[in-house]
Amino acid sequence: MKIKINYDLLQKLAESNTGLSLKESLSKVLVYTTIATSITGLMAPTKEELARIILHNITFYLTLVFGSDLMLSGIKKDIACKQLRNLIAQLKNLDINTNLELLQKAEHYKTEYETSDSFPPEIKQNKYIMVPVLENGKEIETSIVQEHILGTDEYYISYGSPKRVLQKVPKFA
């Protein structure tokens, strides 16, 4: 059985600890700076003036986006924790007995990629995450996998660990 979510678990875990999402913030800065530079850059008579406009736009939007993200970090942290609590309830259906404090200690240990034979090809990302769980009153770890087709907003969580590949050892004569 797989659990369907619409966010990257590792990013959500980081957001639940800090309330900040660096990837999201930087993508906003890039978009805003590109739009502003495209509009105002048309008025630049020289390359030096264009460079000054670009630097100004980057500085302005970095300050604006990171400032607003910092002010909203408490709200974002609360939302991330709520989403993780919902996930924890779903994980219990998979017999993964964890809680928010334990889940926040989860560690990513491997990422694998698979490509499909279809056209256009799909790239499937498998992130393997070691999650602390409670079993008979003791804290142990279990491995889960987060499957994601790159370019989509769908993520699937299930039990899983990387497949071991046996390598042939060459014989020496």
Side-chain angles (χ1 to χ4, degrees):
M1 184 171 135
K2 295 182 182 183
I3 298 170
K4 182 179 174 183
I5 56 177
N6 62 352
Y7 53 84
D8 184 321
L9 178 59
L10 296 172
Q11 287 179 351
K12 197 56 66 177
L13 288 170
E15 198 172 308
S16 74
N17 288 319
T18 63
L20 300 173
S21 173
L22 186 61
K23 181 180 176 182
E24 185 180 310
S25 297
L26 288 177
S27 66
K28 286 181 194 174
V29 169
L30 180 64
V31 168
Y32 297 155
T33 301
T34 302
I35 292 169
T37 302
S38 299
I39 294 168
T40 57
L42 296 173
M43 296 180 270
T46 64
K47 289 182 182 179
E48 291 80 19
E49 185 68 20
L50 179 61
R52 189 185 67 72
I53 289 171
I54 292 171
L55 185 61
H56 174 269
N57 287 338
I58 290 172
T59 305
F60 177 75
Y61 288 111
L62 274 173
T63 305
L64 182 70
V65 169
F66 282 106
S68 64
D69 283 354
L70 196 57
M71 287 188 290
L72 296 173
S73 65
I75 294 169
K76 287 184 174 187
K77 185 176 180 178
D78 290 343
I79 291 169
C81 289
K82 182 178 179 184
Q83 289 175 317
L84 290 174
R85 283 188 195 95
N86 290 337
L87 176 62
I88 289 166
Q90 293 175 322
L91 287 172
K92 290 192 188 305
N93 293 334
L94 293 177
D95 292 328
I96 299 175
N97 187 22
T98 190
N99 58 38
L100 184 60
E101 292 76 29
L102 291 175
L103 187 59
Q104 287 176 324
K105 294 180 193 176
E107 293 182 7
H108 170 243
Y109 67 95
K110 186 171 184 175
T111 301
E112 293 178 340
Y113 295 92
E114 301 171 8
T115 56
S116 68
D117 293 331
S118 64
F119 185 81
E122 291 181 340
I123 301 173
K124 180 180 171 187
Q125 178 188 58
N126 293 325
K127 286 185 182 178
Y128 296 95
I129 304 165
M130 205 53 96
V131 177
V133 296
L134 292 173
E135 190 172 291
N136 298 328
K138 294 182 182 178
E139 185 178 315
I140 61 169
E141 291 184 327
T142 190
S143 178
I144 62 171
V145 62
Q146 173 184 273
E147 300 172 12
H148 173 60
I149 304 294
L150 298 182
T152 67
D153 290 335
E154 295 178 351
Y155 296 81
Y156 295 92
I157 305 284
S158 62
Y159 271 114
S161 55
K163 295 177 183 133
R164 292 184 181 184
V165 178
L166 297 176
Q167 295 179 347
K168 293 184 179 181
V169 178
K171 293 184 180 180
F172 295 102

